[in-house]
Amino acid sequence: MTSRVEFQQQVTSVEPTPSRGLGRHFGLSGRLFLLTVAFVALIEVLIYVPTVSNYRRMWLSDRIAAAQVAALVLDAAPDQQVSEGLSQRLLAGAGARAIAVRGNGARRLLSIEMVPDTVSEIIDLREDHWIASIRGIARTLLAETPHPIRVIGHGRDGFDLVEILMDPGPFREAVADFAIRLALSSLAIAAAVAGLIFLVLQRAIVRPVGRLVRNITDFAENPEAIDGVIVPSRRTDEIGQAEIALARMETALAGELREKRRLAGLGLSVSKINHELRNLLTTAQLLSDRLDGVTDPVVQRVAPRLVATLDRAIRFCEETLAYGRTSERKPNRRTIPLAALFSEQADLAGRGRDSKIAIHEICPGDLKIFVDPDQFSRALANIVRNAVQALSPSANGAEASVRDNPAITIEAKRVGAAGSGETTILVADNGPGLPARAREHLFSPFKGSSRSGGTGLGLAIAFELVELNGGRLTLDETACGTCFRITIPDAAGG
């Protein structure tokens, strides 16, 4: 269980060191936007380059097709000769300086000027694959040369192939113009897609995560505040599940911290009360010493037990003050007669003078037990006192037939061989029994009480004292009433 101060110290101790990278300047929202833009840009690049390459190829294919038409006109002309004016129009339509076709074993050339011997690049559309096309884009856009380009393509209608000789300038301008227009449209699409994706992710992920972070931060500042617990949304995804889990954790932690604060205040109050009670008991002990001079037989019989009880109460007060600082003292275990502890339970049970509750003690006279006598007597007295309270007329749910003859039985017996066995002590009553609510937290302080106004400390203290002495305290299942079982092992080698 963690206090509020300890909780805040733990939160502070695990705060991460601010990173020195990109995350130092951008939050989750900014980094998400940059990643979205980067991924969309990557996808656009993967689409952009093949698109430009395909446009380049289609542009050249259109020129080859126009040259094919010019070749058909040339082939249909008488003596395969055309006028200079028609030749210029055919070459201008194909965007070429010269057109050459091959078919039926013959080669034909359409040109109005001397064909140059040097070309800057040869582009063969018959074998042009995508890697060569991508490389060709770089040569087309970056390489500037005065020499023409030779383009070769498939022929049809009786032609095996078609070649054209063209200037690189118009070709470069067309490809560059398309690349620029495609880049601008791609950037616009990428910005629109990135913005849309960002808005969707911002609403679906970033804002809910930010809400979780803000709630955790606020809860760390004041973990005991009731209104600090996050209210889960209606989401059914992982974020919704995280909100539900966080709400459960904060509710449980806030409850634990509030309970510990109350227990701390209670412990301080008990320590103050216990300090004053010890002083009063010390005074009572001094006054009880005067009973030694009284000759009344009843006083002589009761006085030693009264003095012993006051001594035990003073030691208990001192141990309680020590418990508030550390824990219950280490038991001083030794072998003692059990019958002596049984005989004093009637006086320690807290019965009224007119009480009808009978206490029956069943213990062999030679039975000995290996315990701390003071601690074990306190544990046994707490259990018997609980039984007396359950049988009292004010106990809730007690039956009238039981109240007519209420009884508590304390029985001890040995089990096993001496030195390796154990002693079993049963404390049973014929009361109404324990309700299910009390059984769930039977040995937990402030939770195991079955009566109104009870604290549940008696059984919790008894459980701790029995465990300190190496034993076990359990509840037996009975048809009626309540029966507690204490098991104490023998001393090792005893």
Side-chain angles (χ1 to χ4, degrees), residues 13-77:
S13 65
V14 298
E15 287 184 352
T17 303
S19 61
R20 298 182 179 179
L22 186 64
R24 182 179 180 181
H25 304 286
F26 294 94
L28 178 61
S29 180
R31 280 179 283 180
L32 178 62
F33 177 75
L34 293 179
L35 287 176
T36 303
V37 172
F39 282 122
V40 173
L42 177 61
I43 294 174
E44 289 291 339
V45 169
L46 295 177
I47 297 175
Y48 176 80
V49 175
T51 303
V52 175
S53 174
N54 184 64
Y55 175 81
R56 174 180 177 273
R57 183 181 180 87
M58 293 301 296
W59 195 91
L60 294 175
S61 297
D62 291 342
R63 299 300 176 271
I64 292 294
Q68 178 80 28
V69 174
L72 290 174
V73 174
L74 179 64
D75 187 59

Side-chain angles (χ1 to χ4, degrees), residues 52-314:
V52 175
S53 174
N54 184 64
Y55 175 81
R56 174 180 177 273
R57 183 181 180 87
M58 293 301 296
W59 195 91
L60 294 175
S61 297
D62 291 342
R63 299 300 176 271
I64 292 294
Q68 178 80 28
V69 174
L72 290 174
V73 174
L74 179 64
D75 187 59
D79 299 328
Q80 297 182 347
Q81 295 292 329
V82 295
S83 65
E84 183 176 350
L86 180 58
S87 296
Q88 289 179 349
R89 288 195 299 271
L90 291 176
L91 291 173
R97 297 171 58 177
I99 299 174
V101 294
R102 186 177 65 188
N104 298 325
R107 180 181 176 87
R108 299 174 181 85
L109 177 64
L110 178 63
S111 176
I112 59 175
E113 61 182 34
M114 183 66 67
V115 178
D117 298 331
T118 304
V119 296
S120 62
E121 183 181 3
I122 298 176
I123 303 175
D124 192 346
L125 298 179
R126 298 171 302 174
E127 300 177 355
D128 197 19
H129 52 84
W130 68 274
I131 296 180
S133 298
I134 293 175
R135 293 175 179 174
I137 294 175
R139 290 194 300 268
T140 299
L141 297 177
L142 301 178
E144 295 185 3
T145 176
H147 302 292
I149 299 173
R150 180 185 176 191
V151 183
I152 305 172
H154 290 285
R156 64 178 185 272
D157 298 331
F159 299 107
D160 296 330
L161 60 83
V162 179
E163 298 181 38
I164 61 174
L165 200 66
M166 52 181 285
D167 291 330
F171 176 46
R172 181 183 299 110
E173 290 177 1
V175 175
D177 180 66
F178 177 80
I180 293 173
R181 287 187 286 108
L182 180 62
L184 294 176
S185 61
S186 298
L187 289 176
I189 295 174
V193 173
L196 182 61
I197 295 176
F198 172 75
L199 290 177
V200 172
L201 294 180
Q202 179 81 5
R203 183 177 180 85
I205 297 178
V206 177
R207 288 184 181 178
V209 171
R211 177 172 177 259
L212 288 173
V213 172
R214 288 192 300 273
N215 177 264
I216 293 173
T217 304
D218 295 340
F219 183 80
E221 294 295 331
N222 187 12
E224 297 182 25
I226 298 178
D227 55 354
V229 178
I230 189 171
V231 179
S233 61
R234 297 182 179 180
R235 299 179 59 144
T236 58
D237 56 5
E238 287 78 3
I239 292 181
Q241 296 173 2
E243 291 175 345
I244 294 174
L246 179 62
R248 291 175 179 172
M249 182 195 71
E250 290 178 344
T251 301
L253 182 58
E256 291 289 334
L257 291 175
R258 288 194 297 269
E259 181 178 356
K260 184 167 185 179
R261 178 167 53 84
R262 290 195 298 269
L263 291 178
L266 176 62
L268 178 61
S269 300
V270 169
S271 297
K272 293 179 179 179
I273 295 172
N274 196 72
H275 180 271
E276 298 302 323
L277 181 60
R278 182 187 59 178
N279 294 337
L280 295 175
L281 289 173
T282 302
T283 303
Q285 184 185 36
L286 295 175
L287 294 176
S288 65
D289 292 340
R290 300 180 181 180
L291 297 177
D292 292 340
V294 180
T295 57
D296 188 289
V298 176
V299 173
Q300 291 297 321
R301 181 178 60 86
V302 174
R305 293 186 178 181
L306 176 61
V307 173
T309 302
L310 290 174
D311 289 340
R312 185 175 296 138
I314 293 173

